[in-house]
Amino acid sequence: MQDFKREIALLLAEQLPEGLELDLEEMIEVPPKPEMGDYAFPCFKLAKYLRKNPVKIAEELKEKLEPRGVIADIQQIEAYINFFIKKSEFSRQVLDQVLRHPDDYGSQQIGANKTIVIDFSSPNIAKPFNIGHLRSTVIGGALKNIFEYLGYEVQGINFLGDWGTQFGKVIYAYKLWGNKVDLSQEPIKQLLKLYVKFHEEAEKNPELDEEARAWFRRLEEGNPEARKLWEKFRKITIDELKKIYDRMGIEFDEYSGESFYSKKADEVAARLEEMGLLQESEGAMIVDLSEYDMPPFIVKKKDGTTLYAVRDLAAAIDRYERFGFTQSLYVVGQEQTLHFKQVFKVLELMGYEWANRCVHVPFGLYLFSGEKMSTRKGKVIFLEEVLDEAVSRVREVIEEKNPGLEEKDKVAEMVGVGAVFFADLKNTRIKNVPFDYDKILSFEGETGPYLQYTHARITSLLKKGEEQLDLDKIDFDQLKEPEEMAVIKTVGEFPAKIQEAAQKLEPSIIAKYLISLAAAFNTFYNAHRIITDDLTLTRARLALALAVKITLRNGLKLLGIKAPDQM
C-alpha cells in the first residue's frame, strides 16, 4: 500500500543525507517471506552515494531508526532494513479501501487527460477468425481494460487487413470458382476454401498469380467489378467477426483498415519523395535504412502499387492528428518486430517527434507440433470451434457435478470462454504457446475456472453469513493469523499489480497475481473456519472473504473474464 511505503520513506529520509537523487518510496520492496516483514528497503543503491558497504549502511541506518505510527518493528537482515506494520492498521487500511469502493477497487487516475491508442486483433477480411488471432485479441483487450482502469482515454482500433495482393487472389478465385460456393452458409469458410484452392492451383499454374496481381491493380484503380466484390467480402467478414467479438465481450471504438489509407499512402509516398528520402532500387521505391542496420523500407513495388508498410505510416500519422496520443500500441506478433522498427524509424526520419510514442507490443505464436498455422494450406483451427468445445466440456462437468445449477448454459459460456482467455493470458506474452486442446481447456490447477470457482465459493459463503456481516462493525484486531495476513497482503498488492501490468504491457502479471490471491484465500479457507460461534471474529473473516471476492472479480474483469456467482 502506498501510504505505508510513504511513511517508511519519510522515516528513512530523516536519517539520510539531503540531496540524494533517489526515489526512496519506489525502492521499497515486499519481502519474499512474511517472517521477513511487510516491507524491505535495500541499501545497495545507497552505497554509490555514501561510499560504504551496503551491509554496513544497513547496520548504521537501523541503529538510527525507531518504530512509530503504523510501524511496529524494524529489523536489519544483511543489506536490507525490514519493516513490520501493525497488523490491525494494515488490515484496516487495506480492507477499508476495498470494501468502501468495491466497484472500482484498484482503479487509479494516473492516466487522466492522456490518450492511449491500441491497435489489436486486426484479422484479414475473407479469412476465418482462427485461434492464431486469439492472442492479439485477448492481450489487446486486456490492455485496453487495464489502461481505462488507470484513468486513460483509450481508443481501441481493429485495423483490418483488407487491402493488398491477397484480395486480388480472392477476387480472381471467386470469379473462377465462385459459382460452386454458397456464401449464405458459413461464408468465411467458403471464402477460405477458395483461397486455399487458388494457392493449390497457382503451384501448378503460376500465371494465376499474375492474374491476381492484375485484379488488385484494378481494385486500387477503382474498377467497379473488383470494388463490388471486395466490398461484399469485407461486409461478410465484419458481420461474422462481430458475432465472435460479442461472444468474447471484446469491444472496439472503431473498425478501420488498410483500404482507408490506400489513397493517403500515395500522399505519404509523395511526401517521402519531397523530403529526399525515397530512392529507386531494382525498380522499386525504397527508404534506405542501412545506416540503422535495417533492410530497405519498400514504399512501392515495381508495378507502382504501395505496400502495407506505407499504409501503416499513413495510419500512424492520422491517429496522432486525431488523438494526440501519449502512446500508440501495436499488439502484433513478434514476427513483425523488424517491420515496426522500420515504420517507427521512417516516421522519425520524416520529422515526427512523437514517433517514439509508437510501441510494438509483440507476442509469441500458438504452435502446432512446433509449426505455426498456414491459411494458404487451410491448416487453421477456427476460434469459434475452440470456444464451442470449451463450453461443451464445461456443460458436461456441470451436469456431472451440479445438475441442479440454474442458468447452466449461461454459466457454461462464462466458464468455457474464460478458460480459453485465461489459458492464453497467464503466459508471458512474448513466449510461444504450444496449442494443446486438453491444456487450454483444462479446469484443474492454475486456470480460469479455478479462479471462477473460488469466486463462486466465496459468494456462497457470503450468502450463508449475510446476516452476520456488518461493514460498519468490523474489528480489524481479529485478523492476526498468518494465513489471514497473507490474504490481506495479497489483496493490498492489487493496485500496484495493475500499474506494473500497464508499465510492462503485460496482462500475465494480473493473471499470475489472481492465481496467488486465490491460492492464499484457499489456504486460509482450509486452515480456519470463517463462520464461527464468535460473531466478532466471523464478521471480520467474512469481510476478508468479501474483499477477496471483490478483488478477484475486478481482476478477472480486467482480463475480459466474467465471474459467475454459482458454478
Side-chain angles (χ1 to χ4, degrees), residues 280-332:
E280 186 178 342
S281 174
E282 299 179 9
M285 299 304 292
I286 68 162
V287 176
D288 182 9
L289 297 177
S290 58
E291 182 182 343
Y292 308 100
D293 297 320
M294 284 185 268
F297 180 86
I298 303 174
V299 176
K300 287 188 177 182
K301 294 187 290 186
K302 291 180 183 179
D303 63 7
T305 56
T306 57
L307 272 76
Y308 73 98
V310 190
R311 295 189 282 276
D312 276 346
L313 289 178
I317 294 166
D318 174 64
R319 289 171 190 176
Y320 187 77
E321 288 175 349
R322 286 196 290 145
F323 304 119
F325 52 72
T326 302
Q327 272 193 320
S328 183
L329 308 179
Y330 295 81
V331 186
V332 183

Side-chain angles (χ1 to χ4, degrees), residues 388-548:
D388 287 344
E389 177 67 17
V391 172
S392 175
R393 292 194 186 192
V394 174
R395 192 69 163 75
E396 289 174 7
V397 173
I398 290 173
E399 287 294 348
E400 179 187 344
K401 304 283 188 183
N402 190 6
L405 179 68
E406 296 177 8
E407 298 185 306
K408 294 178 189 176
D409 292 337
K410 183 177 179 181
V411 173
E413 181 75 14
M414 292 167 69
V415 177
V417 173
V420 175
F421 273 42
F422 194 82
D424 187 298
L425 292 171
K426 74 177 181 181
N427 296 287
T428 304
R429 62 173 161 77
I430 202 63
K431 291 183 178 179
N432 288 334
V433 180
F435 185 87
D436 184 313
Y437 249 118
D438 291 330
K439 285 184 180 178
I440 284 178
L441 304 180
S442 171
F443 307 130
E444 304 294 330
E446 297 181 350
T447 65
Y450 165 67
L451 296 176
Q452 290 170 313
Y453 178 72
T454 301
H455 179 273
R457 170 190 269 184
I458 296 173
T459 302
S460 175
L461 175 71
L462 291 168
K463 193 170 183 180
K464 290 177 185 175
E466 61 185 346
E467 292 185 3
Q468 289 102 311
L469 182 58
D470 187 337
L471 298 182
D472 294 321
K473 297 180 180 178
I474 302 170
D475 180 359
F476 294 103
D477 285 329
Q478 297 291 319
L479 302 172
K480 52 197 174 189
E481 297 291 342
E483 296 84 2
E484 293 168 333
M485 295 310 299
V487 173
I488 294 167
K489 273 189 184 182
T490 310
V491 168
E493 292 170 10
F494 184 49
K497 290 295 180 183
I498 300 172
Q499 279 195 44
E500 185 184 355
Q503 288 164 359
K504 296 180 178 178
L505 304 172
E506 187 62 80
S508 68
I509 289 170
I510 291 175
K512 290 168 184 173
Y513 163 78
L514 293 176
I515 289 290
S516 68
L517 175 60
F521 174 79
N522 285 316
T523 298
F524 157 62
Y525 182 85
N526 292 325
H528 303 284
R529 288 178 59 203
I530 293 179
I531 298 178
T532 71
D533 295 332
D534 183 334
L535 176 59
T536 307
L537 178 61
T538 297
R539 188 176 285 143
R541 286 182 173 170
L542 285 171
L544 177 56
L546 177 57
V548 174

Side-chain angles (χ1 to χ4, degrees), residues 133-182:
H133 297 117
L134 178 67
R135 301 221 69 196
S136 175
T137 305
V138 298
I139 291 169
L143 289 174
K144 184 174 186 288
N145 294 337
I146 289 165
F147 279 107
E148 285 176 342
Y149 213 58
L150 292 175
Y152 290 86
E153 177 71 30
V154 181
Q155 291 292 324
I157 297 176
N158 196 345
F159 191 63
L160 300 170
D162 64 354
W163 208 247
T165 306
Q166 60 179 314
F167 299 105
K169 296 176 182 179
V170 178
I171 290 169
Y172 191 52
Y174 187 77
K175 285 181 63 62
L176 289 175
W177 308 297
N179 61 325
K180 297 178 182 178
V181 300
D182 180 4

